[in-house]
Amino acid sequence: MDVLGVLLPQRCAVCASPGGEPLCAGCASALVRLGPTGCARCGAPGPWPVARCAECAGRRLAFATARAALAYDTRARALVAAWKEGGRRRLAPLLAAIVAASLPRPEADALAWVPGDRERTRERGHVPARRLAEALAVDWAIPARELLVRTRPLPRQASLALAERRRNVRGAFAASERAPPRVCLVDDVYTTGSTANACASALRRAGARRVDVVCLARAVR
């Protein structure tokens, strides 16, 4: 018996309704899944396929593709906040199942993840991207490997403009070992792609010939 679950009945991570489910059926069905159309490179949604969209045109991107399962709207924000900041660590397998059901299995030799900041990891007690990658490793039968480390602490990206985000993460990640030829980089939220690009650059320098990015959610402009 799950004693903790009896004493503290689980509520939906989005609407907080009781019922014992980490995500109620109503909120699960209301999450906005991103469709297959849009930018072939960064995965920005759109009404028709394009090779490059306004978000990534003219940028030198180290990753081949980036894809996300959900639009980062109000419900997805609540879900991610509960998982990352609200102590709901056990949501990781459920979130991985959403990703695996929404996106095709990548052709990768390993799953890597965006490494967590030391201070925020201490506050949260876990690295969300790592938990997601390890859960996806089970669903996709691809090994998860700790291929990246942070070289320095970073200011929080959320408060920074686009150009500042790119400068903020430049050189902030390094490979911890030789990377395999094909790597799938896992993160929780894709906002501008700056963090994903910096991590992909580090993986490419370490030997990866192709890096694809998979995220739970992405900001939609």
Side-chain angles (χ1 to χ4, degrees), residues 9-28 31 74-92 94-95 98 216:
Q10 196 162 205
R11 291 176 175 269
C12 173
V14 175
C15 68
S17 63
E21 295 296 327
L23 183 64
C24 73
C27 288
L31 292 171
T74 302
R75 288 185 178 84
R77 286 178 185 275
L79 181 60
V80 171
W83 173 44
K84 293 175 65 173
E85 316 294 349
R88 303 289 295 272
R89 303 180 201 175
R90 288 185 289 178
L91 284 170
L94 171 64
L95 303 182
I98 291 173
L216 172 66

Side-chain angles (χ1 to χ4, degrees), residues 6-7 36 57 64 69 73 101 126 134 180 188 191 198:
V6 172
L7 297 176
D73 61 4
H126 69 125
E134 290 174 341
D188 43 44
T191 306

Side-chain angles (χ1 to χ4, degrees), residues 30-113:
L31 292 171
V32 178
R33 270 70 173 179
L34 294 178
T37 59
C39 180
R41 191 66 182 273
C42 77
W48 51 77
V50 295
R52 285 274 192 141
C53 68
E55 286 191 40
C56 66
R59 294 176 63 185
R60 296 187 64 180
L61 297 175
F63 56 81
T65 65
R67 296 290 183 269
L70 304 174
Y72 195 45
D73 61 4
T74 302
R75 288 185 178 84
R77 286 178 185 275
L79 181 60
V80 171
W83 173 44
K84 293 175 65 173
E85 316 294 349
R88 303 289 295 272
R89 303 180 201 175
R90 288 185 289 178
L91 284 170
L94 171 64
L95 303 182
I98 291 173
V99 174
S102 304
L103 302 177
R105 179 184 183 276
E107 295 296 325
D109 302 303
L111 301 180
W113 58 85

Side-chain angles (χ1 to χ4, degrees), residues 179-198:
R182 301 172 303 172
V183 179
C184 177
L185 176 70
V186 177
D187 201 5
D188 43 44
V189 178
Y190 182 109
T191 306
T192 65
S194 300
T195 298
N197 194 50

